[in-house]
Amino acid sequence: MKEQKHKHKKDKTNEEKPATNKWKVAFLVLLGLILGLSAFFFFRATQQREAIQYDTQPLVQREGEPVLSINSDKEQINSLMDFYLQNYQEDSDVEYHFQLENQALLTGEFEILGAPITFYLYFDPYVTDNGNVQLQADSLSVGTLDLPVKQVMKMIEKSFKFPKWIEFDPDEEQVLVRLDQFRMENGLFVKAEKINLVDDDIQVSLYLPQDKEK
Protein backbone atom coordinates (compact mmCIF):
# COMPACT_ATOMS: atom_id res chain seq x y z
CA MET A 1 0.00 0.00 0.00
CA LYS A 2 2.85 2.38 0.87
CA GLU A 3 4.56 1.52 -2.41
CA GLN A 4 1.40 2.42 -4.34
CA LYS A 5 1.13 5.80 -2.56
CA HIS A 6 4.81 6.53 -3.23
CA LYS A 7 4.40 5.59 -6.90
CA HIS A 8 1.30 7.74 -7.22
CA LYS A 9 3.10 10.72 -5.70
CA LYS A 10 6.07 10.24 -8.03
CA ASP A 11 3.81 10.07 -11.08
CA LYS A 12 2.11 13.34 -10.04
CA THR A 13 5.48 15.09 -9.72
CA ASN A 14 6.47 13.92 -13.20
CA GLU A 15 3.22 15.31 -14.59
CA GLU A 16 3.81 18.78 -13.06
CA LYS A 17 7.44 19.08 -14.14
CA PRO A 18 6.86 19.34 -17.94
CA ALA A 19 4.20 22.01 -17.39
CA THR A 20 6.60 24.00 -15.20
CA ASN A 21 9.35 23.70 -17.82
CA LYS A 22 7.00 24.99 -20.51
CA TRP A 23 6.23 28.09 -18.46
CA LYS A 24 9.94 28.70 -17.87
CA VAL A 25 10.72 28.38 -21.59
CA ALA A 26 7.84 30.70 -22.51
CA PHE A 27 9.01 33.25 -19.95
CA LEU A 28 12.61 33.14 -21.22
CA VAL A 29 11.46 33.51 -24.84
CA LEU A 30 9.28 36.51 -23.93
CA LEU A 31 12.11 38.08 -21.92
CA GLY A 32 14.47 37.58 -24.86
CA LEU A 33 12.04 39.27 -27.25
CA ILE A 34 11.59 42.25 -24.93
CA LEU A 35 15.34 42.68 -24.47
CA GLY A 36 15.98 42.25 -28.19
CA LEU A 37 13.36 44.82 -29.20
CA SER A 38 14.59 47.24 -26.54
CA ALA A 39 18.19 46.93 -27.78
CA PHE A 40 17.11 47.41 -31.41
CA PHE A 41 14.95 50.42 -30.54
CA PHE A 42 17.79 52.00 -28.54
CA PHE A 43 20.22 51.43 -31.43
CA ARG A 44 17.85 53.07 -33.92
CA ALA A 45 17.26 56.01 -31.62
CA THR A 46 20.94 56.67 -30.92
CA GLN A 47 22.50 55.77 -34.27
CA GLN A 48 24.37 58.66 -35.86
CA ARG A 49 23.19 59.58 -39.31
CA GLU A 50 25.64 60.61 -41.98
CA ALA A 51 25.67 64.39 -42.18
CA ILE A 52 23.83 65.87 -45.16
CA GLN A 53 25.18 69.00 -46.73
CA TYR A 54 22.62 71.58 -47.79
CA ASP A 55 23.16 74.68 -49.86
CA THR A 56 23.08 77.71 -47.61
CA GLN A 57 24.31 81.25 -47.50
CA PRO A 58 27.17 82.24 -45.21
CA LEU A 59 26.45 84.09 -42.00
CA VAL A 60 24.69 87.35 -42.81
CA GLN A 61 25.80 90.53 -41.06
CA ARG A 62 22.65 92.56 -40.49
CA GLU A 63 23.72 96.12 -39.89
CA GLY A 64 22.04 99.47 -40.21
CA GLU A 65 18.32 100.15 -40.35
CA PRO A 66 15.82 97.67 -41.83
CA VAL A 67 14.35 98.65 -45.17
CA LEU A 68 10.96 97.22 -44.27
CA SER A 69 9.18 96.20 -41.09
CA ILE A 70 6.32 93.75 -41.48
CA ASN A 71 3.47 92.97 -39.12
CA SER A 72 2.04 89.57 -39.94
CA ASP A 73 -0.19 86.89 -38.42
CA LYS A 74 -0.21 83.11 -38.09
CA GLU A 75 -2.31 82.49 -41.19
CA GLN A 76 0.06 84.44 -43.43
CA ILE A 77 3.17 82.83 -41.94
CA ASN A 78 1.64 79.35 -42.27
CA SER A 79 0.91 79.96 -45.96
CA LEU A 80 4.48 81.12 -46.50
CA MET A 81 5.96 78.10 -44.68
CA ASP A 82 3.71 75.65 -46.55
CA PHE A 83 4.87 77.08 -49.86
CA TYR A 84 8.55 76.93 -48.88
CA LEU A 85 8.45 73.44 -47.34
CA GLN A 86 6.47 72.02 -50.26
CA ASN A 87 9.18 73.10 -52.69
CA TYR A 88 11.97 72.05 -50.33
CA GLN A 89 10.57 68.55 -49.78
CA GLU A 90 9.46 67.81 -53.34
CA ASP A 91 12.23 65.18 -53.83
CA SER A 92 11.86 63.66 -50.35
CA ASP A 93 10.17 60.33 -49.61
CA VAL A 94 8.95 61.53 -46.21
CA GLU A 95 7.24 64.79 -45.35
CA TYR A 96 6.78 66.88 -42.27
CA HIS A 97 4.65 69.94 -41.61
CA PHE A 98 5.26 72.99 -39.49
CA GLN A 99 2.55 75.44 -38.54
CA LEU A 100 1.76 78.09 -35.98
CA GLU A 101 -1.22 77.74 -33.67
CA ASN A 102 -1.17 78.99 -30.08
CA GLN A 103 2.14 77.14 -30.13
CA ALA A 104 4.44 76.12 -32.94
CA LEU A 105 3.59 72.58 -34.09
CA LEU A 106 5.82 70.13 -35.96
CA THR A 107 4.06 67.02 -37.30
CA GLY A 108 5.29 64.10 -39.33
CA GLU A 109 5.68 60.36 -39.45
CA PHE A 110 8.63 58.03 -38.86
CA GLU A 111 8.91 54.28 -38.46
CA ILE A 112 9.62 52.20 -35.37
CA LEU A 113 10.24 48.49 -36.07
CA GLY A 114 8.62 48.94 -39.48
CA ALA A 115 5.46 50.50 -38.08
CA PRO A 116 4.56 54.11 -39.03
CA ILE A 117 4.31 56.43 -36.04
CA THR A 118 2.73 59.90 -36.30
CA PHE A 119 4.09 62.53 -33.93
CA TYR A 120 2.89 65.96 -32.85
CA LEU A 121 5.62 68.04 -31.22
CA TYR A 122 4.66 71.40 -29.71
CA PHE A 123 7.12 74.26 -29.18
CA ASP A 124 7.10 77.63 -27.49
CA PRO A 125 8.85 80.16 -29.78
CA TYR A 126 11.19 82.88 -28.52
CA VAL A 127 13.03 85.63 -30.38
CA THR A 128 16.74 85.69 -29.54
CA ASP A 129 18.81 88.86 -29.16
CA ASN A 130 20.28 88.45 -32.63
CA GLY A 131 16.92 88.06 -34.35
CA ASN A 132 16.85 84.28 -34.65
CA VAL A 133 13.96 82.12 -33.43
CA GLN A 134 14.40 79.55 -30.69
CA LEU A 135 11.78 76.83 -30.38
CA GLN A 136 11.63 75.19 -26.96
CA ALA A 137 9.87 71.80 -26.92
CA ASP A 138 6.86 71.87 -24.61
CA SER A 139 4.84 68.72 -25.17
CA LEU A 140 4.73 65.62 -27.35
CA SER A 141 2.02 63.36 -28.67
CA VAL A 142 3.14 60.15 -30.40
CA GLY A 143 0.19 57.77 -30.48
CA THR A 144 -0.05 55.48 -27.48
CA LEU A 145 3.71 55.32 -26.99
CA ASP A 146 5.30 56.93 -23.97
CA LEU A 147 8.55 58.30 -25.39
CA PRO A 148 10.74 61.13 -24.07
CA VAL A 149 10.95 64.33 -26.13
CA LYS A 150 14.75 64.01 -26.40
CA GLN A 151 14.54 60.57 -28.00
CA VAL A 152 11.82 61.59 -30.46
CA MET A 153 13.77 64.70 -31.50
CA LYS A 154 16.76 62.48 -32.29
CA MET A 155 14.54 60.31 -34.48
CA ILE A 156 13.09 63.36 -36.22
CA GLU A 157 16.58 64.73 -36.88
CA LYS A 158 17.62 61.41 -38.47
CA SER A 159 14.42 60.83 -40.44
CA PHE A 160 13.82 64.18 -42.12
CA LYS A 161 15.69 66.55 -44.36
CA PHE A 162 15.96 70.02 -42.87
CA PRO A 163 17.73 73.13 -44.21
CA LYS A 164 21.16 73.63 -42.68
CA TRP A 165 20.01 76.86 -41.06
CA ILE A 166 17.60 74.87 -38.85
CA GLU A 167 19.58 73.38 -35.98
CA PHE A 168 18.28 70.58 -33.75
CA ASP A 169 19.52 70.23 -30.18
CA PRO A 170 17.76 67.13 -28.76
CA ASP A 171 19.72 67.27 -25.49
CA GLU A 172 18.30 70.73 -24.72
CA GLU A 173 15.00 69.89 -26.47
CA GLN A 174 15.37 72.94 -28.69
CA VAL A 175 15.31 73.90 -32.34
CA LEU A 176 17.08 77.06 -33.47
CA VAL A 177 15.92 78.76 -36.66
CA ARG A 178 19.08 80.54 -37.78
CA LEU A 179 17.66 83.46 -39.72
CA ASP A 180 21.17 84.91 -39.72
CA GLN A 181 22.06 82.09 -42.15
CA PHE A 182 18.96 82.40 -44.31
CA ARG A 183 18.83 84.64 -47.38
CA MET A 184 15.99 85.04 -49.86
CA GLU A 185 16.52 84.53 -53.57
CA ASN A 186 16.46 88.29 -54.15
CA GLY A 187 19.21 88.76 -51.55
CA LEU A 188 17.04 90.14 -48.76
CA PHE A 189 17.51 88.69 -45.31
CA VAL A 190 15.24 88.58 -42.29
CA LYS A 191 15.39 89.38 -38.61
CA ALA A 192 12.64 88.35 -36.19
CA GLU A 193 11.44 91.13 -33.92
CA LYS A 194 8.44 89.73 -32.06
CA ILE A 195 6.43 86.51 -31.89
CA ASN A 196 3.22 86.50 -29.85
CA LEU A 197 1.12 83.58 -31.04
CA VAL A 198 -1.68 84.01 -28.48
CA ASP A 199 -2.39 87.59 -29.67
CA ASP A 200 -1.52 86.66 -33.27
CA ASP A 201 1.18 89.34 -33.49
CA ILE A 202 4.32 88.50 -35.50
CA GLN A 203 6.83 91.16 -36.51
CA VAL A 204 9.89 90.80 -38.73
CA SER A 205 12.31 93.20 -40.39
CA LEU A 206 13.81 92.92 -43.88
CA TYR A 207 17.37 94.03 -44.63
CA LEU A 208 19.18 94.66 -47.88
CA PRO A 209 22.51 92.95 -48.56
CA GLN A 210 25.46 95.14 -47.55
CA ASP A 211 26.65 95.70 -51.11
CA LYS A 212 23.21 97.03 -52.13
CA GLU A 213 23.01 99.22 -49.03
CA LYS A 214 26.09 101.02 -50.27
Side-chain angles (χ1 to χ4, degrees), residues 83-204:
F83 175 80
Y84 177 82
L85 291 178
Q86 183 178 0
N87 290 336
Y88 186 79
Q89 299 179 89
E90 60 183 4
D91 297 326
S92 177
D93 295 331
V94 291
E95 293 185 358
Y96 57 90
H97 301 278
F98 185 83
Q99 63 184 26
L100 300 179
E101 299 177 351
N102 281 346
Q103 290 179 296
L105 173 62
L106 177 66
T107 64
E109 187 177 271
F110 54 76
E111 290 189 356
I112 297 179
L113 303 179
I117 302 295
T118 301
F119 66 88
Y120 300 85
L121 185 55
Y122 291 87
F123 297 90
D124 291 322
Y126 301 92
V127 176
T128 65
D129 293 338
N130 55 3
N132 293 326
V133 178
Q134 176 181 299
L135 302 173
Q136 181 66 51
D138 175 65
S139 61
L140 168 69
S141 174
V142 58
T144 58
L145 297 178
D146 183 17
L147 298 176
V149 172
K150 182 186 301 185
Q151 197 171 41
V152 171
M153 286 188 65
K154 287 181 179 179
M155 293 180 186
I156 294 172
E157 187 179 21
K158 295 183 184 73
S159 302
F160 299 100
K161 176 184 176 183
F162 291 98
K164 193 173 181 180
W165 46 272
I166 296 182
E167 298 179 357
F168 267 73
D169 187 351
D171 292 332
E172 297 297 329
E173 300 181 1
Q174 294 177 351
V175 176
L176 183 61
V177 181
R178 294 289 305 270
L179 294 178
D180 57 0
Q181 292 183 353
F182 173 75
R183 188 189 295 265
M184 300 181 184
E185 292 182 359
N186 57 10
L188 290 172
F189 46 92
V190 184
K191 180 178 180 181
E193 302 290 351
K194 180 181 180 181
I195 299 179
N196 184 339
L197 298 183
V198 175
D199 295 330
D200 206 5
D201 184 11
I202 302 171
Q203 300 176 17
V204 298

Side-chain angles (χ1 to χ4, degrees), residues 67 183 185-188 207-214:
V67 294
R183 188 189 295 265
E185 292 182 359
N186 57 10
L188 290 172
Y207 289 75
L208 290 172
Q210 285 187 346
D211 55 348
K212 291 188 178 181
E213 288 178 350
K214 296 178 181 179

